[in-house]
Amino acid sequence: MAILLIAAVSISSYAQTGVGVKPIKGAKLLLDGTEKMLHKNWEYWEGPRFSSTMPIKWPATTDPIDGGPVISSNDPAGAGGKYGAADIVTKTKYRDFRAHVEFFVKDPGGNSGVYLQNRYEIQILDGDNTNHGMAAIINEKIPSTDAYNGTGKWNAYDIVFKAARFEKGVLIEKARTTIYFNGVKIHEDQPIQQVWGGPNSGIDGGNDGGKGITDTPGGLKLQAEGHDVYYRNIWIKKLDLDGKSTDF
């Protein structure tokens, strides 16, 4: 019986999903809700609309549920929905990866976003179930199931991402992702067509209307849009998905 259990754990080595999941073996904890880890692992993305200054001004606050430390995306420079003005991105850049992101939307209409490779946005937008809304691969694919826990509760994205593939500088395979939302699979090995939102949104946003994807690695980015969206328990593990699906 013990042997069977070990085999199952090995097979599902990055399949743990949902709120409260601890970093898997080989993963790096990027944000535990403290300012110390925020400043150690993150920096501002200094895109064309950047209008803040270092150090990062995302406020540290207290988890309304358990009293632990959390970081709010409500940077003053992002007031009024000015995305790109104060977004933060990991100092480490990635190609393929497995990531876990926990977020808490404080108020109705709360807006932020998780960007894979600082390119492709997985939306956080309370009250919107369109392809521009909660858990959508923005402007391309709505989630297959509404798994959102709602405002005032913690939510979790569990993501496996495969970067676009190139041959001699030419794009030969679109980026792909599989995503679980609060333990429910909502996107399965879904191709991602382009970067949306123009040059203020992230890497390659200004290239050929967002279709000019390059082979430059990018960080995991969180968006500031003037709302209290809290973050904690963010971790990531580098993968090599050559010849493999993102499904898990």
Side-chain angles (χ1 to χ4, degrees), residues 41-57:
N41 294 323
W42 302 77
E43 61 191 1
Y44 280 124
W45 177 57
E46 297 189 21
R49 198 187 233 175
F50 177 62
S51 56
S52 191
T53 57
M54 288 292 284
I56 295 172
K57 294 172 177 60

Side-chain angles (χ1 to χ4, degrees), residues 7-244:
V9 171
S10 175
I11 290 169
S12 60
S13 60
Y14 59 87
Q16 305 164 54
T17 63
V19 175
V21 168
K22 295 180 180 179
I24 59 175
K25 184 178 180 180
K28 178 181 180 180
L29 184 61
L30 297 171
L31 187 65
D32 61 0
T34 66
E35 287 186 286
K36 180 179 180 181
M37 194 164 282
L38 173 70
H39 296 298
K40 177 183 177 182
N41 294 323
W42 302 77
E43 61 191 1
Y44 280 124
W45 177 57
E46 297 189 21
R49 198 187 233 175
F50 177 62
S51 56
S52 191
T53 57
M54 288 292 284
I56 295 172
K57 294 172 177 60
W58 284 36
T61 187
T62 302
D63 183 343
I65 295 176
D66 67 15
V70 296
I71 298 295
S72 172
S73 65
N74 199 4
D75 189 301
K82 193 178 177 183
Y83 68 88
D87 298 347
I88 61 171
V89 65
T90 55
K91 294 178 181 179
T92 302
K93 311 310 176 191
Y94 301 92
R95 293 189 185 277
D96 306 339
F97 58 81
R98 159 77 166 95
H100 176 88
V101 179
E102 294 188 14
F103 64 91
F104 179 107
V105 181
K106 181 175 179 288
D107 302 307
N111 193 353
S112 183
V114 178
Y115 284 71
L116 314 181
Q117 263 200 338
N118 192 6
R119 283 185 174 88
Y120 314 106
E121 183 180 5
I122 311 305
Q123 176 70 290
I124 295 174
L125 178 55
D126 177 74
D128 190 333
N129 294 315
T130 70
N131 69 358
H132 194 79
M134 183 65 72
I137 300 173
I138 200 160
N139 295 333
E140 294 188 18
K141 188 71 166 57
I142 64 172
S144 59
T145 303
D146 181 6
Y148 179 41
N149 286 333
T151 59
K153 296 180 180 179
W154 282 99
N155 294 270
Y157 287 152
D158 285 284
I159 301 163
V160 169
F161 172 79
K162 182 179 181 180
R165 279 355 194 212
F166 293 78
E167 191 172 285
K168 296 181 180 179
V170 177
L171 178 69
I172 59 170
E173 183 183 343
K174 300 280 190 180
R176 307 183 78 90
T177 189
T178 293
I179 301 175
Y180 286 73
F181 191 15
N182 295 324
V184 178
K185 188 186 290 188
I186 59 167
H187 299 294
E188 182 175 324
D189 200 35
Q190 181 67 33
I192 309 176
Q193 300 304 315
Q194 67 170 86
V195 177
W196 297 89
N200 297 320
S201 66
I203 296 173
D204 297 333
N207 295 343
D208 189 23
K211 296 180 176 66
I213 305 301
T214 63
D215 200 18
T216 307
L220 191 69
K221 188 175 75 175
L222 306 177
Q223 189 179 63
E225 285 209 60
H227 295 262
D228 278 312
V229 176
Y230 303 153
Y231 288 97
R232 69 173 190 192
N233 193 23
I234 300 177
W235 48 261
I236 196 165
K237 179 180 181 178
K238 291 183 178 181
L239 301 175
D240 181 354
L241 296 178
D242 277 348
K244 299 176 184 176

